[in-house]
Amino acid sequence: MRVTKKYLAPAILAVAGLALAGCAPTVDENPGTDLAPVKIAIITSTTGPLGGYGAEYTAGFKAGLDYATDGTGTVDGRALDISYVDDAGDADKAVSAAKDAIGNGTQIIAGTASSGIALAVAEQAAQNKILYISGPAAADAITGVNEYTFRSGRQTVQDVATAGTFVGDLEGKNILVFAQDTAFGQGNVAGVQAVLGAKGANVTGELVPEDATEFTPFAQKIRDAAPDMVFVAWAGATTGAMWQALSQQGVFDTIPVVTGLGDIASYGAYGEASEGISFLNHYFGGAAGTEIEKTMISYLDKNGEKADLFTPDGFAAAQMIVHAIAEGGGDDVAKMIASLEGWSFDSVKGKMTIRAEDHALIQPMFQARLKASGDTYVPELIKVVDAGTVAPPLAK
């Protein structure tokens, strides 16, 4: 593990006492200044296959912290001792980092771009009774996994439900899910089956080994199967090669394809098929049109960053952490959990609600398309999908 940065937010020092004999004592308006800093560990990938996602999250977290603390970096005068740790996409490193943080007195952990890693850290949260807020990791299994785990991003079922808004009557339709054989990919197959299968679709999965680099045989298999729709769920560095294989094998010529719109780096990866794909979208810069989004973008611009796919996840995580500390004191995990359950708040994407029963984060989603702009492509909003329309079913 590698701690890339440690940030100790400045505390305001207060002295209480008697100024003159017979005078009333000074009231300390910021009682938190007398307390030790709240330790927070942000454990996510800033290198490795999902390093870009972790960087987006971290930029958003810093913007959200600035927003939620009114630029002070403190909560009710109490300092925040924040460690940023790179898990490099390795579950063992992430778990080791979590154990080290917990051993040092940390009771709040957030971050995590990988679903498999998120589930491993969630287990540590339950065992050690600390607050854990997962980040971009999308696996549905994270929701409701235990009472100590929350999420600041969307989950797979919300992606799938958004894809379903592009399709008409699903009764008897054949839907093929093309994904990597990972927790994320498996979650997408299960999610499509649960959401679209429940509406009458016949759902099958074509899962590719995570380390695969040649995708032509898989593309040929999809073309020959000729489903009514292909739902593509992909993440990481092989995205471009996968889309190229589908294009070269003529999949886009005969089969409707729906997928999630990735981060800025992926906009040019779809090639000539870009304008023919229907994109469900978690977020792209400018999609939401909220005042908080404008504030975030302004902060990012000043720091040489851009709003991207998972920037809102970091922003929302900071809001959740600041709220938990403000309401729960930063030391009482049970009170912090109680303060988050059922909480509704305005964030980058719009109004978010943490469902009390299973900690699902109910949030708006987006439909988008890519349009040519010079030698690249840029996203264009089709519509905002209401949070209730794509809310996940209650986790069992």
Side-chain angles (χ1 to χ4, degrees), residues 176-181 189 204-208 217-218 221-222 234:
L176 186 148
V177 183
F178 187 41
Q180 293 150 304
D181 195 4
V189 175
T204 58
E206 183 66 34
L207 295 175
V208 178
F218 301 102
K221 187 175 180 180
I222 292 170
W234 213 271

Side-chain angles (χ1 to χ4, degrees), residues 5 11 21 23 36 52 95 98 100 107 115 126 148 178 207 228 231 250 257 272 283 298 322 371 395:
K5 179 179 179 184
C23 291
V95 169
D100 287 347
Q107 295 193 89
S115 293
Y148 299 93
F178 187 41
L207 295 175
D228 295 296
F231 178 86
V257 177
E272 296 179 358
Y283 177 76
S298 176
V322 169
K371 302 297 289 184

Side-chain angles (χ1 to χ4, degrees), residues 154-220:
R154 95 298 186 211
Q155 63 186 80
T156 297
V157 165
Q158 288 162 309
D159 283 345
V160 175
T162 304
T165 64
F166 285 102
V167 183
D169 184 9
L170 285 162
E171 185 65 38
K173 298 291 177 61
N174 295 313
I175 309 298
L176 186 148
V177 183
F178 187 41
Q180 293 150 304
D181 195 4
T182 61
F184 172 68
Q186 294 160 11
N188 270 276
V189 175
V192 173
Q193 180 62 60
V195 178
L196 304 188
K199 296 180 180 181
N202 302 310
V203 180
T204 58
E206 183 66 34
L207 295 175
V208 178
E210 187 177 16
D211 59 356
T213 57
E214 172 53 54
F215 304 105
T216 298
F218 301 102
Q220 291 172 337

Side-chain angles (χ1 to χ4, degrees), residues 57-76:
Y57 171 94
T58 302
F61 180 83
K62 293 176 181 178
L65 187 67
D66 183 78
Y67 173 83
T69 65
D70 293 324
T72 68
T74 67
V75 181
D76 294 334

Side-chain angles (χ1 to χ4, degrees), residues 40-45 54 57-58 61 85 87 108-114 117-118 121 132-137 142 150-153 313-314 317 321:
I40 302 164
I42 305 300
I43 302 173
T44 193
S45 300
Y57 171 94
T58 302
F61 180 83
V85 185
D87 63 30
I108 302 172
I109 293 176
T112 324
S114 161
I117 292 176
V121 176
Y132 171 52
I133 302 173
S134 177
I142 298 166
F150 293 76
R151 67 192 319 150
S152 65
D313 298 25
I321 289 171

Side-chain angles (χ1 to χ4, degrees), residues 235-313:
T238 60
T239 300
M242 178 275 299
W243 286 115
Q244 184 179 37
L246 291 182
S247 182
Q248 290 177 344
Q249 296 306 311
V251 173
F252 296 105
D253 297 335
T254 57
I255 305 169
V257 177
V258 176
T259 193
L261 181 63
D263 58 3
I264 293 172
S266 73
Y267 292 170
Y270 308 97
E272 296 179 358
S274 297
E275 294 180 294
I277 302 173
S278 297
F279 291 98
L280 65 96
N281 180 240
H282 170 49
Y283 177 76
F284 65 84
T290 65
E291 290 303 312
I292 294 178
E293 179 188 40
K294 294 173 185 176
T295 300
M296 180 191 75
I297 290 174
S298 176
Y299 178 93
L300 294 171
D301 286 345
K302 291 175 183 177
N303 290 274
E305 304 278 358
K306 291 184 178 180
D308 211 338
L309 180 64
F310 294 122
T311 319
D313 298 25

